Amino acid sequence: MSSRTPFIAGNWKMHKTVAEAEQFIAGLLPRVYSADAVDVAICVPFTALQAMVDSTRGSRVEVFAQTMHEAAKGAFTGEVSAPMLSELDVHGVVLGHSERRQYFGETDKALAQKVLVALDAGLKPILCVGETEDERERGDTERKLRHQVQEGLERLSPEQITEITIAYEPIWAIGTGKVATPEQAQDAVAFVRALIKDKAPEAAPVARVLYGGSVSPDNAAELLALPDVDGALVGGASLDPESFGKIVDAAVHIAAS
Ligand code: PGA
């Protein structure tokens, strides 16, 4: 891990009612109370945002949304905008998760606008990028990452790029238990950092790049120790305070070493 503050974010996806979210956070807060050296976030469904913002106030856990629309308001039934999220004191938002791209038609073009709009609203974006299994087998991983990172950062100033977090999530590793090898994760994350450097040299040492895809308490220490990996975006293993807490612990140990 680098000199950047490690960042462990749990992406609940479409899990947890408000009651279940409250139960989770009651279990997590005492576990991460002293995790000073690590930034911790939970990315929760819209319906649990207000409850989680209230329950985490004054703690070290930040609350993120999982998506948002790029317009401030309008005739977009079912959508939620950046001003609506920041009004709730939400800290940030996940943008371009592969499930949003795959099932809900999220495009790179819309994402370029969403990243800009999120930053303008004071929300910290986590931009997700990653290749499919076919793309990796065809040798197209770098081409895909270059395209997604360049499009996602297209409208940002160099100062804005310093504020962004990019999560490298190979799609074949998401929810499959098939984690990237340390070498695959390191190579791809370093490549993403090189792309950031091409666009904004001053941002490359500051912007954080996370790994995501089947991160668990068993493999977290090895992944988080990789030189370019600044943290993890955790799906399934973030649903339980015990296993998510263990991943935060792994980051605390590495930050202290
Ligand atoms: P997973 O999900 O940890 O369950 O593989 C990661 C993600 O989708 O962000």
Side-chain angles (χ1 to χ4, degrees), residues 13-69:
K13 311 189 180 186
M14 196 172 72
H15 291 280
K16 297 197 192 294
T17 61
V18 172
E20 289 163 346
E22 293 289 12
Q23 210 179 353
F24 171 95
I25 204 67
L28 184 71
L29 288 181
R31 282 214 52 131
V32 299
Y33 179 72
S34 57
D36 290 340
V38 178
D39 290 340
V40 180
I42 49 173
C43 313
V44 313
F46 289 136
T47 45
L49 283 171
Q50 182 72 71
M52 290 303 95
V53 165
D54 291 342
S55 295
T56 55
R57 224 179 274 281
S59 83
R60 54 177 314 91
V61 177
E62 295 196 330
V63 178
F64 280 46
Q66 298 175 4
T67 184
M68 58 165 228
H69 197 275

Side-chain angles (χ1 to χ4, degrees), residues 46 67-74 79-87 117 121 123:
F46 289 136
T67 184
M68 58 165 228
H69 197 275
E70 61 272 29
K73 57 182 168 182
E79 292 292 310
V80 166
S81 71
M84 294 172 184
L85 296 176
S86 45
E87 185 192 33
V117 165
L123 297 165

Side-chain angles (χ1 to χ4, degrees), residues 9-11 13 94 97-99 128 167 169-170 173-178 211-216 233-238:
N11 174 18
K13 311 189 180 186
V94 178
H97 189 280
S98 64
E99 288 150 16
C128 301
E169 299 204 300
I174 295 178
T176 58
K178 208 163 135 188
Y211 168 80
S214 295
V215 175
S216 72
L233 183 56
V234 185
S238 74

Side-chain angles (χ1 to χ4, degrees), residues 217-232:
D218 294 336
N219 59 30
E222 187 176 32
L223 290 162
L224 295 172
L226 297 169
D228 272 283
V229 172
D230 298 322

